[in-house]
Amino acid sequence: MVRYTSAHKTERTSTGTGGASASDTARTTAAAHLTARSARFRRPRRTGRAAALGAAALSLALPLAACSSDGGSREPAGGAGSSAAGAAPSPSPTPTVDPDTYRHALTGALRPLDSALRTVDGTREGSALNKALDTAATKAEAAADALQTAAAPDDAVAGTSQLATALRALGQDLRSARGNGGRCATSPRVELDTAHSPQSVKAAGRALKALGYDASLRLPRTERARHRRLANGAFVRDGSRGGLGRLTINNGTSSDAVVTLTRGTRTAFSVYVRKGAKATVRSVNSGSYTVYFTTGEDWNSGKSSFTRGCSFEKFDDKANFRTVRVAGGTQYTVLTFTLNKVFGGNASTSTVPPGEFPS
């Protein structure tokens, strides 16, 4: 029949949106057939194009009234009943940490460190300062551990993590700043001035303070690196000179230098020669001398040493000065030492332990 064929075609078209099951197709086809038969008794039979269009209209409407297999009416997909059944309850927000509880934990973690840093601030350089630095380093690491395990309010989580990381770096810098007590030892306060961790600690503390959490610490005072120098040719130490010998030193290195001549265990003189300059010492007494030289930056007169970039060396050959009377006059020795390495040079040098370098 034309009407059956039209109904069948309608079902095939609807499969593009997910398709109908075999039972749904059978029910729809049967319903369309029965409806079409009953319509034949109520109205005069139509033929041709009008009859075919009427059957198609009936079959298109029937799927909306199709019954479910249990006899109930079928709800349209996405209806109100389906939406209500699929709704899930929203999760309740996680309660945040009490700010006062966090403040108490923050104070407990930082108070021992603050006390240790105040001790560093008031201690003079030497073994006592080194001990204070070690203690403060241990307290800084303990504070970092405490903060990493502390529960923080939502707005303080990032700042707490930042402070813990900065405190751990501070502990490392405090240990690295310890002086070795020897010559050419940079001041621990100068070392701390060039460290990045104190600034990181301050930045993290400011961030927490802006949120209402006090994380202030008394960081130890630091000192800027100094660049102390003597005048070129100035004597660091000068003994009795009354001879005719003459010594010239050319310093072609990139650092200032102090040249020291000794006879046996006694220092005859020490002279300061700036980098790229030369200096001459006159009236050198006759004798055999060992020539030492040290180079570096920032001359500490109290320690008779540079404080940064030090080296300690000596010339392997002795410097021999002689004064001899000859007919018509006197002959005397004039020597020149070049501190930088040169091609064709005839003087070798050796490294000297700092403790063996003459004062």
Side-chain angles (χ1 to χ4, degrees), residues 1-14 20 24-37 39 46 51-66:
M1 297 175 60
V2 174
R3 287 182 292 275
Y4 179 83
T5 304
S6 177
H8 183 66
K9 289 183 178 180
T10 301
E11 287 299 318
R12 290 187 62 183
T13 304
S14 65
D24 287 341
T25 303
R27 285 195 298 270
T28 303
T29 304
H33 182 64
L34 291 173
T35 305
R37 288 182 62 187
R46 291 178 293 179
L53 290 175
L58 285 172
S59 62
L60 286 171
L62 284 174
L64 297 177

Side-chain angles (χ1 to χ4, degrees), residues 173-304:
D173 287 337
L174 289 170
R175 282 200 174 88
S176 299
R178 296 174 72 257
N180 57 22
R183 304 180 72 168
C184 194
T186 302
S187 166
R189 302 193 189 281
V190 173
E191 291 283 2
L192 286 176
D193 185 71
T194 60
H196 296 293
S197 61
Q199 299 303 319
S200 298
V201 170
K202 289 180 181 179
R206 286 193 298 266
L208 288 174
K209 187 175 182 180
L211 299 173
Y213 307 111
D214 186 11
S216 57
L217 289 167
R218 173 71 175 273
L219 294 171
R221 58 188 173 87
T222 61
E223 296 177 359
R224 292 293 182 89
R226 304 175 68 179
H227 303 276
R228 292 166 289 185
R229 306 172 75 188
L230 299 182
N232 186 63
F235 283 99
V236 175
R237 183 173 178 178
D238 192 13
S240 176
R241 290 180 293 111
L244 297 177
R246 189 166 70 221
L247 172 66
T248 298
I249 303 111
N250 286 324
N251 181 9
T253 70
S254 58
S255 303
D256 288 0
V258 170
V259 178
T260 300
L261 270 65
T262 63
R263 294 181 66 181
T265 59
R266 298 181 60 182
T267 297
F269 59 86
S270 297
V271 61
Y272 196 97
V273 187
R274 290 193 172 192
K275 61 182 179 181
K278 68 179 181 178
T280 298
V281 179
R282 303 177 184 278
S283 304
V284 180
N285 295 328
S286 297
S288 182
Y289 298 85
T290 302
V291 181
Y292 295 86
F293 64 97
T294 176
T295 60
E297 187 178 354
D298 182 41
W299 179 255
N300 185 336
S301 295
K303 290 186 176 182
S304 295

Side-chain angles (χ1 to χ4, degrees), residues 96-111:
T96 186
V97 177
D98 178 59
D100 289 336
T101 302
Y102 171 71
R103 290 188 183 95
H104 180 74
L106 186 62
T107 301
L110 297 182
R111 183 182 291 123

